[in-house]
Amino acid sequence: MQETLPKRYVGYVRVSTDEQARSGLSLQAQRERLAAWATAFGHMLVEVVADEGESAKTLDRPGMRRVLQMIDDQAVDGVVVAKLDRLTRSTRDLLDTIDRCERRRVAMASVSESLDTSTACGRLLVTVLGAMAQMEREQTAERTAAALATKRRQGRRFCRHAPYGYRFDDSDRMVEVEAEQRTLDEVAAILGEASRPSLRTISRLLAERDMLNRDGRPFKAASVAGLVAAVERRKAAAA
């Protein structure tokens, strides 16, 4: 039976304040946990990289850059931390780092969370973390959309450029643009015809009636789709 060689791991430790760095107690405690973990699982701890007095807001830290370079160079078989928040407090950064490790066939392990991406359970935990991150992004998007919808209902600025038919005044209030409103009226009239015309047909009809876009050019079919949507929104709001 072939003997399994110990895997080479680089340890990473971090403290966020200069006071913690000067005392050395937290760093030493992390190092001891990493050493105990390596001994328990029969791995080789080839180096322990430290970031002293560094925040976990981003991955742009001297020690972290060194660890990432070791991952890219496949200089080790895995990375181990005492706790995931030593690595980063951002779920997105964590998942990006784990993905980076997976692409280089480098394992990621955490002592406190019992995470080890070289095992099936570890990969399951990563999947759960990814689902949580996706939920967080979707919730943020929902909150942003709700806030913008509220601003729109109140006639306040909700985007960089006002939708066609309107402009933002000096008070960031949305006011109608008469010429653009006439264009929307014309589109509504065309749509009200018995045979619903195509976007290209509407574009041609608007050009024949000298109705141009904000740049003074004829509306392309893709732009007409936006006009149709604006007409539909106006109709729904009036209902």
Side-chain angles (χ1 to χ4, degrees):
M1 182 176 179
Q2 186 177 5
E3 183 180 356
T4 302
L5 295 176
K7 292 184 178 180
R8 303 163 303 146
Y9 273 76
V10 58
Y12 176 77
V13 298
R14 180 188 66 81
V15 289
S16 57
T17 67
D18 292 333
E19 182 179 353
Q20 290 173 320
R22 284 193 298 271
S23 71
L25 295 177
S26 181
L27 287 174
Q28 183 59 28
Q30 291 178 57
R31 288 190 176 97
E32 289 174 357
R33 295 191 70 184
L34 299 186
W37 176 88
T39 299
F41 288 95
H43 297 314
M44 184 188 304
L45 199 59
V46 296
E47 183 180 351
V48 176
V49 178
D51 269 323
E52 303 179 10
E54 293 285 346
S55 168
K57 290 182 179 179
T58 73
L59 296 176
D60 188 17
R61 296 164 245 148
M64 193 68 240
R65 288 197 296 269
R66 172 165 171 71
V67 170
L68 293 176
Q69 188 61 56
M70 294 175 77
I71 293 171
D72 292 340
D73 294 341
Q74 294 180 297
V76 291
D77 301 311
V79 180
V80 60
V81 292
K83 195 175 180 181
L84 286 177
D85 65 7
R86 298 302 86 196
L87 186 72
T88 177
R89 293 186 182 276
S90 164
T91 304
R92 182 70 266 163
D93 283 347
L94 173 62
L95 292 172
D96 287 345
T97 303
I98 291 175
D99 179 66
R100 189 173 191 159
C101 287
E102 289 182 344
R103 285 186 278 112
R104 273 77 172 183
R105 298 182 181 277
V106 174
M108 171 66 70
S110 170
V111 178
S112 291
E113 287 84 2
S114 299
L115 169 69
D116 185 349
T117 61
S118 67
T119 69
C121 288
R123 289 189 290 273
L124 174 62
L125 178 56
V126 171
T127 301
V128 172
L129 289 172
M132 292 175 62
Q134 178 64 26
M135 182 180 70
E136 182 180 346
R137 287 193 295 271
E138 290 177 355
Q139 288 177 334
T140 299
E142 289 174 356
R143 289 193 294 268
T144 300
L148 293 177
T150 298
K151 286 185 175 182
R152 183 167 189 155
R153 287 194 300 271
Q154 295 173 345
R156 297 160 54 199
R157 181 183 289 272
F158 59 92
C159 58
R160 182 176 180 183
H161 300 292
Y164 190 84
Y166 300 88
R167 65 177 177 83
F168 292 118
D169 63 14
D170 295 338
S171 300
D172 278 346
R173 292 285 176 177
M174 196 164 65
V175 296
E176 292 186 353
V177 176
E178 185 177 348
E180 294 181 2
Q181 288 293 329
R182 285 199 300 270
T183 299
L184 293 177
D185 290 339
E186 192 65 35
V187 172
I190 295 172
L191 290 173
E193 296 175 0
S195 57
R196 191 178 179 92
S198 67
L199 296 179
R200 290 184 180 278
T201 299
I202 298 175
S203 175
R204 177 177 56 78
L205 291 173
L206 291 176
E208 290 175 355
R209 299 168 192 182
D210 294 326
M211 291 188 167
L212 308 175
N213 64 19
R214 287 175 172 174
D215 296 328
R217 300 174 182 174
F219 288 98
K220 294 183 178 180
S223 301
V224 172
L227 298 181
V228 172
V231 169
E232 295 296 339
R233 286 196 300 269
R234 191 170 65 170
K235 185 189 301 184

